Amino acid sequence: MEFDVVIIGAGAAGLYALYRVRGLGLSAKVFEKGDGVGGTWYWNRYPGARCDVESWDYCYTFSEELELEWEWTERFPTQPELERYFNHVADRFDLRRDIEFDTRVDRARFDDDQNRWLISTSNGQTVSARFLISAAGCLSEVNTPRIEGAENFEGRQIHTARWPQGGIDLTGLQVGVIGTGSTGVQAIPQLAKQAEHLFVFQRTPQFGIPAQNRPLDDETLEELKHNYRERWEFKRASSTGMGRHPAEVPAALEVDEATRTQAFEASWARGGPGFARAFSDVMTNAQSNQIASQFVMDKIRGKVTDPAVADSLAAIDHPLGARRVIVEIDYFETYNRPNVTLVDVAADPITEITPQGLRTTAGSYDLDMIVYATGFDGMTGALLAMDIQGVGGLPLRDKWADGAGAYLGLVTSEFPNFFMITGPGSPAVYSNVIFSIEQHVDWITDCLAHMADHDLDRIDADPDAEAEWTRQVHEIAAQSIIGKTDSWWTGSNIEGKRQGITFYLGGTNTYREICDEIAANGYEGFVFSESTSPARA
Ligand code: N01
């Protein structure tokens, strides 16, 4: 089978890419390893899963009708609501007929003579396409740490991103959770309500800001619909793709203590991921950050009745925002329940999993089930899980052995006609990702239209342009406190992975301007060649 475009994944990126590619009159096929659409929101169905970007921002903007007809029910949408949304989009735009479900892309090889990609899938097909677009996601390759003895455990072991449709009945079970990142923090309060006893194995305490979630009433929905174009302008102007009015705030060090506390209290009461924006310098000045960090740690302590547990949860050793800040609902209060035990595995590390449970250097825990809330191989995991080979059979794994890089995060040299949506080098995970996805898809499909108009058959990144862009990505990251501690952001959660921030921290607004300018200047830094191939559609 031959297509103009093959798209990997039917999450937010794959669905929109299919919609736009079709709009160019190109033939397309999407391969999706799950049996439904939604990507992250298809796979992550653990109890408590919800988005920590507000519903009115975490949605497509490409269709006015879609925006006006869809009604969000809460400030922060749950996984079931998001899954419904992506199913609605797939049906509304008649996307399913070009999606093949239960089909994983295992291998993609560029045929230099034909200028085509040969794509092999888990169900034994090989298809060819002029263009290959990865919409495989930044957080889709799960990370399950290898713990000695895990294979001998007699109970059930499950990663949060593989929670089954229909759920799991935890009644009467002794459950252990490893991991207290965004996922663990969302899952733990819900698991605690269901399990007989919940043991939380925490290695690194984390900052948690209350979501202050709420249902959306008719008046709010009406206002959201009324203002959606204005919000879109704000998203484009903002550095993270969020549609908030950018408030002018002073630096924390410019005001007195009482004013500071008042502003932090107000930000806390608003809730959500924007807590640090109470002042302009929390993310840039170590002293301001320390004051904000102390405020959050005191709040955490205030929520937990047992002082020793409160200490374990609040003894945070990294600056606020150096790891992705967590948005929580009833997380810290959950430790006041008699059926929840916090186990500090930084002090007493996990040594092994036994047939009956889990052992640390301090004791043993009998468990019926172990939940791995241990995250993902971020940014590059899903790309490198496939065997992607560029010019001359060069494996992407080899090309990126010393660190991942792509020109604008879109194209990596020696892999012609291969586009990555939210690839390494783009703002990706440090932005309202669905808005970044739209920007990437629009840019890519405009580029495909440009190639068709100019009878161009092949696009590649100039290696020098790519190296210079990657240098800038690293340079900007080096100036930020983001990533100044180990986490999946730096790749340190994956054994043997090259460490460092691979996403662009210069702001989504600046990034968009750069991408647009490069396109307007004839796609500077990209190398095109004219149609020579007999296979050209
Ligand atoms: O994964 P994580 P996540 N022994 O890597 C621990 C997005 N997201 O799935 O910190 C013991 O952050 C690890 O400990 P440590 C969001 O971008 C969004 O929670 O390495 N512990 C850590 O506590 C987020 O940032 C939403 O010491 C081990 C945890 O596992 C990203 O996904 C919701 C261990 C992993 O935390 C990833 O979040 C959920 C071991 N051997 C997720 N190995 C939204 O709301 C790992 N850990 C949109």
Side-chain angles (χ1 to χ4, degrees):
M1 295 267 278
E2 297 193 345
F3 300 96
D4 293 321
V5 180
V6 158
I7 298 164
I8 306 168
L15 292 178
Y16 183 47
L18 175 58
Y19 172 81
R20 284 295 314 263
V21 161
R22 266 200 204 153
L24 295 175
L26 300 175
S27 64
K29 172 67 86 185
V30 178
F31 291 115
E32 165 55 54
K33 79 178 167 191
D35 69 3
V37 299
T40 284
W41 304 109
Y42 167 89
W43 291 103
N44 286 274
R45 45 184 82 242
Y46 58 85
R50 72 168 74 226
C51 185
D52 61 7
V53 174
E54 282 134 334
S55 50
W56 53 82
D57 279 344
Y58 196 87
C59 53
Y60 292 119
T61 63
F62 70 87
S63 159
E64 183 172 336
E65 294 77 21
L66 174 65
E67 270 201 78
L68 294 181
E69 77 197 9
W70 184 262
E71 305 234 311
W72 295 106
T73 65
E74 292 181 72
R75 179 181 179 188
F76 294 106
T78 61
Q79 178 274 331
E81 183 164 24
L82 284 158
E83 197 183 12
R84 277 199 300 281
Y85 175 72
F86 288 110
N87 275 284
H88 171 74
V89 170
D91 293 332
R92 195 191 190 292
F93 299 101
D94 186 25
L95 300 176
R96 283 182 212 279
R97 64 185 155 89
D98 289 325
I99 305 173
E100 196 164 324
F101 292 102
D102 292 312
T103 309
R104 197 183 58 223
V105 169
D106 285 337
R107 185 163 180 244
R109 185 171 62 79
F110 186 68
D111 180 337
D112 215 8
D113 299 327
Q114 298 290 312
N115 257 352
R116 293 187 76 87
W117 282 92
L118 300 174
I119 297 124
S120 308
T121 66
S122 53
N123 58 6
Q125 303 174 67
T126 297
V127 303
S128 93
R130 280 181 60 210
F131 298 101
L132 179 63
I133 300 180
S134 172
C138 300
L139 289 162
S140 45
E141 188 64 18
V142 302
N143 169 40
T144 306
R146 271 193 300 273
I147 300 178
E148 202 185 309
E151 64 285 3
N152 302 323
F153 182 59
E154 288 169 358
R156 183 170 187 174
Q157 301 184 75
I158 189 159
H159 190 283
T160 42
R162 292 293 176 268
W163 210 264
Q165 300 185 27
I168 302 175
D169 183 6
L170 303 178
T171 314
L173 299 188
Q174 306 279 314
V175 177
V177 183
I178 302 175
T180 53
S182 297
T183 300
V185 165
Q186 288 186 337
I188 285 161
Q190 303 307 319
L191 299 176
K193 288 181 198 159
Q194 301 166 23
E196 176 82 15
H197 199 97
L198 189 71
F199 294 92
V200 178
F201 298 95
Q202 173 194 266
R203 192 165 62 183
T204 306
Q206 298 241 58
F207 292 103
I209 308 297
Q212 315 289 23
N213 187 41
R214 60 174 191 277
L216 299 179
D217 56 24
D218 289 348
E219 200 183 325
T220 310
L221 285 171
E222 211 32 59
E223 195 195 320
L224 286 170
K225 286 181 195 230
H226 188 66
N227 293 333
Y228 80 100
R229 275 296 112 182
E230 191 191 356
R231 243 184 9 265
W232 182 77
E233 295 294 345
F234 277 115
K235 285 189 198 185
R236 287 175 72 93
S238 108
S239 61
T240 52
M242 306 291 182
R244 283 183 211 96
H245 290 247
E248 287 287 328
V249 288
L253 299 181
E254 280 170 14
V255 299
D256 60 37
E257 197 183 330
T259 312
R260 223 163 27 219
T261 306
Q262 206 179 15
F264 280 136
E265 287 289 357
S267 195
W268 188 261
R270 273 194 301 279
F275 172 78
R277 281 194 289 274
F279 291 103
S280 61
D281 57 346
V282 172
M283 298 300 288
T284 50
N285 181 296
Q287 200 185 339
S288 302
N289 189 288
Q290 206 278 325
I291 296 168
S293 300
Q294 192 58 53
F295 178 91
V296 179
M297 290 191 276
D298 290 346
K299 285 284 188 192
I300 294 172
R301 279 205 174 79
K303 291 181 182 210
V304 182
T305 46
D306 181 325
V309 177
D311 272 350
S312 287
L313 290 166
I316 302 171
D317 67 355
H318 54 269
L320 179 73
R323 283 174 158 223
R324 192 176 184 279
V325 170
I326 294 171
V327 177
E328 56 88 16
I329 299 176
D330 292 338
Y331 173 66
F332 297 104
E333 293 84 346
T334 295
Y335 293 95
N336 298 332
R337 293 177 65 108
N339 72 330
V340 176
T341 303
L342 180 68
V343 184
D344 181 347
V345 295
D348 304 306
I350 297 170
T351 50
E352 63 171 323
I353 291 175
T354 64
Q356 286 76 38
L358 192 147
R359 190 169 289 149
T360 71
T361 51
S364 293
Y365 301 86
D366 284 349
L367 301 172
D368 301 304
M369 182 168 163
I370 298 174
V371 176
Y372 293 89
T374 46
F376 304 89
D377 182 354
M379 292 302 292
T380 54
L383 286 160
L384 296 179
M386 298 176 279
D387 179 13
I388 298 179
Q389 297 177 18
V391 173
L394 174 68
L396 189 58
R397 287 176 199 139
D398 288 3
K399 161 116 200 241
W400 285 353
D402 291 327
Y407 183 42
L408 302 179
L410 282 159
V411 175
T412 191
S413 62
E414 297 185 89
F415 293 77
N417 294 1
F418 172 48
F419 294 97
M420 287 166 280
I421 303 173
T422 62
S426 74
V429 293
Y430 203 73
S431 69
N432 175 9
V433 75
I434 193 162
F435 200 56
S436 287
I437 281 169
E438 282 191 315
Q439 185 249 334
H440 260 190
V441 170
D442 291 345
W443 192 96
I444 291 166
T445 46
D446 286 352
C447 180
L448 295 184
H450 169 87
M451 290 177 72
D453 288 348
H454 295 82
D455 209 20
L456 301 169
D457 215 22
R458 177 166 163 153
I459 178 171
D460 202 347
D462 174 342
D464 291 338
E466 178 174 314
E468 171 54 20
W469 179 255
T470 305
R471 189 195 62 72
Q472 286 183 40
V473 169
H474 293 158
E475 187 179 276
I476 296 168
Q479 292 159 12
S480 166
I481 67 149
I482 289 158
K484 290 285 177 292
T485 188
D486 288 350
S487 77
W488 71 265
W489 269 355
T490 62
S492 64
N493 61 331
I494 304 298
E495 216 180 303
K497 186 166 178 169
R498 168 80 185 225
Q499 290 199 32
I501 294 283
T502 53
F503 39 95
Y504 178 78
L505 288 171
T508 48
N509 44 1
T510 307
Y511 174 77
R512 179 190 295 270
E513 279 166 22
I514 293 169
C515 290
D516 289 350
E517 199 177 305
I518 282 172
N521 290 341
Y523 292 89
E524 279 172 332
F526 290 96
V527 183
F528 292 98
S529 55
E530 282 177 17
S531 179
T532 49
S533 160
R536 189 176 190 278

